């Protein structure tokens, strides 16, 4: 088992290993405490691991309850968020009790935002069940729900008290959901670690614990220097500006990781065209994306994508900060004036 300690506004551990779920009750009692634990999960994950976690928590003395919502991005809404708050109140959770997010990015973001708001902040544990949540969304404290106008437009920075990443839980992922996480893993290689990027030439499934720990360490280091995303944390958004636009335009039928993969390839080609990186770097990114059966482009045109980008929360007045590779392992932030977004995106849509 690997332990990675995050020291930001809260200090907490991320535990990564095989079979951690079995010890989740004891670990939560030790680290988080509380009398009651509310498991927040979707209907897919509930079937797989919900009962098991309930009984593990009960064996360790927790009064338990579970809130199960329909799987999918459409549940990451204001409506589900309010129902969840009502549920926590009906179950009489107090501030010293714990909200446990058992699931992927949607679950973690939704449960985390409810944990941040309920009684102005209740204890919060993340148990990621997808690769994407393990390497990215369960760590670093971003929580949110979507609004009609765009993704993650209502949310809070609210760090978990502990993250329990049991790699055994990832064995039931569909190939499509696993690939969503692979896109975020590739992202870490491109933004911060050439050796990690090279290591991805060996299938990620064969080195899961190590890869997750490397990604989480990169994220920990970036978030520690910029918890509230005033500067370098924006590097973690590589591929996300266009990625979020693709998700929005597809009404979320293109999943997050697949959209981010296309967004990274588009940003890479645009960077090569602007002379920010060599064509070889852009091609390496595209090849890695394709080698994991992820998309390296989108059917939406530059006009549609640019318009969708303008509703993204990354817009700062008349510009949007985009992330471009300089080389594998190094990215730069660049402010793109709103009027140039369409041309930049168009240059990234065109093959090199
Ligand atoms: N997923 C990007 C971040 O946490 O900043």
């Amino acid at each position: 088992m690997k332990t990675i300690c995050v020291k930001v506004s809260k200090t907490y551990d991320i535990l990564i290993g095989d079979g951690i779920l079995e010890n989740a009750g004891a670990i939560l009692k030790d680290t988080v405490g509380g009398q009651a634990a509310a498991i927040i999960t979707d209907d897919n994950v509930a079937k797989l691991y919900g009962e098991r976690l309930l009984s593990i928590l009960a064996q360790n003395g927790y009064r338990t309850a579970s809130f199960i919502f329909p799987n999918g991005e459409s549940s990451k809404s204001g409506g589900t968020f309010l129902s969840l708050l009502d549920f926590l109140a009906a179950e009489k959770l107090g501030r010293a009790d714990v909200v446990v997010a058992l699931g992927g990015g949607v679950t973690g973001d939704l449960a985390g935002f409810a944990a941040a708001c309920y009684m102005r902040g209740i204890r919060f544990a993340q148990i990621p069940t997808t690769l994407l949540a393990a390497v990215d969304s369960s760590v670093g404290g971003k929580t949110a729900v979507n609004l009609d106008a765009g993704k993650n437009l209502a949310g809070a920075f609210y760090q978990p008290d502990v993250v329990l990443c049991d790699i055994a839980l990832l064995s039931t992922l569909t190939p499509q959901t696993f690939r969503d996480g692979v896109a975020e893993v590739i992202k870490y290689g491109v933004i911060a670690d050439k050796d990690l990027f090279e290591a991805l030439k060996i299938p990620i499934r064969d080195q899961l614990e190590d890869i997750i720990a490397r990604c989480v360490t990169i994220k920990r280091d970036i978030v520690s220097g910029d918890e509230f995303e005033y500067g370098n944390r924006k590097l973690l958004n590589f591929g996300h500006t266009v990625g979020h636009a693709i998700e929005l335009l597809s009404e979320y039928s293109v999943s997050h990781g697949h959209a981010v993969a296309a967004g990274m390839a588009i940003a890479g080609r645009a960077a090569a065209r602007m002379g920010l990186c060599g064509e070889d770097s852009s091609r390496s990114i595209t090849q890695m994306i394709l080698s994991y059966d992820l998309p390296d482009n989108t059917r939406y045109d530059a006009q549609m994508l640019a318009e969708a980008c303008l509703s993204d929360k990354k817009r700062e007045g008349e510009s949007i900060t985009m992330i471009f590779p300089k080389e594998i392992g190094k990215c730069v932030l660049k402010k793109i004036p709103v009027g140039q977004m369409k041309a930049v995106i168009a240059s990234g849509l065109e093959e090199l």
Side-chain angles (χ1 to χ4, degrees), residues 136-137 139-142 157 184 187-188 219 223 229 233-234 236-237 240 256:
D136 191 47
S137 59
V139 177
K142 278 191 180 175
F157 286 98
E184 297 284 356
K187 174 190 85 176
Y188 287 109
K219 181 152 189 181
V223 170
E229 199 172 291
R233 184 169 181 164
K234 291 181 184 159
L236 294 168
N237 297 332
H240 284 58
H256 182 65

Side-chain angles (χ1 to χ4, degrees), residues 191-211:
I191 63 172
D193 190 343
K194 186 173 194 299
D195 292 341
L196 169 63
F197 188 84
E198 290 300 318
L200 304 183
K201 291 176 181 163
I202 297 168
I204 293 174
R205 274 199 192 273
D206 298 345
Q207 37 173 355
L208 212 41
E209 187 171 328
D210 189 43
I211 293 288

